[in-house]
Amino acid sequence: VPATLNDVARRSGVSTKTVSRVVNHERHVHSDTRERVLLAIEELGYRPNAVARSLVRKRSLTIGVLTYGLERYAPSRFLIGAQHEAAKHGYALLLALLQPELPIRMDEVLEDLLSRRVDGIIWQAPDVANTHRWITPQRLAHMPPIVLSGLPNPHVTTVTVDNYVGGLLAVEHLLAQQWQRIGYLAGPAELPPNSERWRGWHDALCGAGREPDESLVVSGVGTAQGGAGAMSALLGRRPDVDAVFCFNDAMALGAMRAATLAGRRPGVDLGVVGYDDVAEAAFYTPPLTTVRQRNAEMGVEAVRALVRAIELQQSGDERPVPLLIQSRPELVVRESSLPHGVGHR
Amino acid sequence: VPATLNDVARRSGVSTKTVSRVVNHERHVHSDTRERVLLAIEELGYRPNAVARSLVRKRSLTIGVLTYGLERYAPSRFLIGAQHEAAKHGYALLLALLQPELPIRMDEVLEDLLSRRVDGIIWQAPDVANTHRWITPQRLAHMPPIVLSGLPNPHVTTVTVDNYVGGLLAVEHLLAQQWQRIGYLAGPAELPPNSERWRGWHDALCGAGREPDESLVVSGVGTAQGGAGAMSALLGRRPDVDAVFCFNDAMALGAMRAATLAGRRPGVDLGVVGYDDVAEAAFYTPPLTTVRQRNAEMGVEAVRALVRAIELQQSGDERPVPLLIQSRPELVVRESSLPHGVGHR
DNA sequence: GTGAAAGCGCTAACAC
DNA sequence: GTGTTAGCGCTTTCAC
């Protein structure tokens, strides 16, 4: 049985309040008293009970993280960044993972988080199964602050990457390399980044006076396997395709493999651009041109914004205005997108 | 301000205890009363306060996860598995991420977890900076149950993969393919799996009557970049090397790239075996032979063991005997390890 | 079936 | 500087 504040008080012959003062580093404690108390704490192996503290302070120093698809690169990096920043502020992260395989019991998951009295929520799950309908002004009024990561929502502070610009950058680059028929290997349709990147593809082509041709769009799951399947399908349907922008690097890798097996040469007679800039991308064959997002930094920003909102709320003010924190992706040019002769070797 | 049990009691004209009974699905409540209470709960938007409940029940239904290097494949998969299983049992995961970049304040992190009164801890951090010295019988007596993932510890239930056998499988396979000088591209020295896999390399060679030559071992960080650097160094030092076993798939990818740039042909005149079987491995050029571990399943097993221990402890019995739950890795043969002519194409 | 009282471990608001 | 009292929201015991 762990020692309590009371045990420490008894042992050191002072009141509980005094012990509490010592534990919380408050001033107005005589140094002799403090010494005695600290000794007793040491002897008893006392450890403050954060649960009791949370109950009376009405703050748990806990942030709930609603996440989805942790197996993909971006969400997992985001989580890492969020965790680091949260630790800096003394917050712990409570994980709530939505499972792609299971029917999504949004209410349950959210209720659990709220029951546990998290001080705020980072909602980094895409709007699968219409989960975002949950976010309504009335509901928000009865909830701790929320920061969304993904599609901007007017009612909530949102931290996001401009996936549209990412798609634009990728396809404009392919156009600049003189590729003629540029396809899009789409990821899972339920992911908003997917449609945003598709829009980028679409508008870049329009902007160059080309007509976006939907027969050059094939979708697959966001894995190498998915990319390989989609590429094979695309090559079968449109053998004249000479470049592809892919939903992510994993799909791009699969696409390059499938294309190679079909006799095409990525970085020679087939332009390929991925998305994510995973650490491996520079070592693919050929090295992959891709779009880099600052995923971990987004996690950091999300926590910062959330902590700010929490603090604001605690200080009794009303709810802060929802912000939009958006980061611009950047293009990383390697060899996979360059036509023959332009490459480094 | 959220409604409390008391508010519900007042509104429905019953005692708090009765409301508590309804909320906890206890029997001995008249169905009429129950209806009235449920109505009041609905109207007030009442949500039980898990913090208050934890305080009195002395159970938080929370598991602390001490983890490290979430950017690598195995730890992240482990976490996913753990999260899924924990949710099944009604537990939430509290994340404590040790940061490779920062000086590791083990005590702080652990103290925080204990302060928050987690019901158990999953310790999935390798013994970096001697953190495992923390685990002593005396200390364990004052702590909630712990399950370790990694190097087995006699005092604690451990869930692990047999990294030694993994190394053995990999190198025995390379030997069977008639490769003559087999190197090891080592990962970070502080990771126990690294030394275990090295032992596998070592013993496999001895078992075949070869002498393990340390000049064939080069180490790097566990990334593609690290693998490329290590491979270059190895080729410089021992141009006669004709096969490598790599700490993980990322390093193997980097190694294959570096070897290719140096004029070697993986899967033809250079045998390469990785470790992890990441989803992309089958799509590398050439497809990578590798060792597969059931990482997510290990996370599941860890939580199962922990929940069992927690329940045992709650029921007043003494601490259960430490178990060793070990899974056997399996070899996945693709093309990178096959000499010319044996491959599929 | 239902309720009253006590208390989980801590802090807030005062007194002294 | 230090102590006293009350109470956070819930469960537990035991009475009715």
Side-chain angles (χ1 to χ4, degrees), chain A residues 299-311:
Chain A
V300 169
E301 289 305 330
V303 168
R304 279 206 189 126
L306 188 59
V307 168
R308 221 174 295 136
I310 292 171
E311 244 116 65

Side-chain angles (χ1 to χ4, degrees), chain A:
Chain A
V1 194
T4 74
L5 207 70
N6 240 303
D7 299 334
V8 177
R10 214 161 13 231
R11 176 150 195 138
S12 49
V14 297
S15 74
T16 60
K17 179 61 218 184
T18 300
V19 179
S20 167
R21 281 200 185 91
V22 173
V23 171
N24 293 295
H25 307 101
E26 290 175 34
R27 290 158 317 139
H28 304 304
V29 180
H30 195 87
S31 61
D32 292 0
T33 324
R34 168 175 287 111
E35 287 311 318
R36 280 225 312 287
V37 171
L38 286 175
L39 183 67
I41 287 179
E42 181 70 23
E43 289 173 341
L44 291 172
Y46 169 74
R47 218 191 317 273
N49 184 330
V51 175
R53 192 178 272 171
S54 298
L55 181 59
V56 47
R57 285 205 190 148
K58 294 176 187 316
R59 290 190 66 185
S60 59
L61 286 179
T62 298
I63 291 174
V65 184
L66 208 63
T67 183
Y68 177 88
L70 221 47
E71 36 281 294
R72 275 177 291 113
Y73 182 78
S76 75
R77 293 308 158 118
F78 180 94
L79 180 65
I80 293 174
Q83 157 70 33
H84 287 190
E85 186 65 15
K88 272 193 201 159
H89 296 270
Y91 284 84
L93 296 189
L94 204 62
L95 213 54
L97 201 55
L98 300 182
Q99 310 178 224
E101 317 86 44
L102 267 52
I104 293 181
R105 300 290 323 123
M106 201 53 211
D107 332 20
E108 263 179 39
V109 174
L110 210 50
E111 284 293 316
D112 184 52
L113 245 34
L114 295 173
S115 241
R116 289 170 184 273
R117 295 301 191 259
V118 294
D119 294 334
I121 293 180
I122 291 186
W123 186 308
Q124 117 95 354
D127 192 6
V128 241
N130 251 338
T131 45
H132 282 201
R133 68 171 149 64
W134 246 97
I135 303 174
T136 64
Q138 314 93 289
R139 211 136 21 193
L140 285 174
H142 300 294
M143 276 201 207
I146 293 187
V147 166
L148 205 64
S149 169
L151 260 199
N153 180 306
H155 307 304
V156 193
T157 290
T158 308
V159 171
T160 188
V161 177
D162 198 328
N163 283 287
Y164 170 69
V165 165
L168 221 48
L169 286 173
V171 178
E172 281 170 354
H173 165 73
L174 286 171
L175 286 164
Q177 299 302 318
Q178 309 296 331
W179 299 108
Q180 297 305 314
R181 276 162 303 281
I182 304 173
Y184 176 49
L185 294 195
E190 84 266 18
L191 300 180
N194 179 62
S195 23
E196 291 295 297
R197 292 171 201 174
W198 173 85
R199 281 210 306 124
W201 168 82
H202 181 272
D203 289 8
L205 290 178
C206 292
R210 310 282 185 84
E211 187 163 356
D213 183 344
E214 281 297 334
S215 72
L216 285 168
V217 177
V218 184
S219 69
V221 294
T223 62
Q225 175 97 55
M231 189 72 210
S232 297
L234 180 56
L235 286 171
R237 183 202 293 175
R238 292 288 307 260
D240 59 326
V241 65
D242 67 356
V244 279
F245 166 44
C246 308
F247 172 68
N248 64 16
D249 289 351
M251 287 189 76
L253 174 67
M256 294 202 294
R257 177 78 192 154
T260 302
L261 292 180
R264 302 296 297 267
R265 288 171 301 162
V268 178
D269 60 16
L270 180 74
V272 179
V273 177
Y275 208 106
D276 276 349
D277 194 25
V278 300
E280 286 79 16
F283 299 88
Y284 289 165
T285 306
L288 185 65
T289 293
T290 184
V291 179
R292 177 188 295 163
Q293 312 185 139
R294 324 219 69 180
N295 297 300
E297 285 85 344
M298 293 294 91
V300 169
E301 289 305 330
V303 168
R304 279 206 189 126
L306 188 59
V307 168
R308 221 174 295 136
I310 292 171
E311 244 116 65
L312 240 150
Q313 193 194 250
Q314 299 282 330
S315 68
D317 301 354
E318 56 219 79
R319 199 164 280 270
V321 269
L323 299 172
L324 177 58
I325 301 170
Q326 185 146 323
S327 134
R328 202 168 190 283
E330 54 187 300
L331 185 74
V332 181
V333 178
R334 298 202 181 95
E335 296 173 32
S336 66
S337 60
L338 306 181
H340 191 50
V342 184
H344 308 313
R345 31 173 264 115

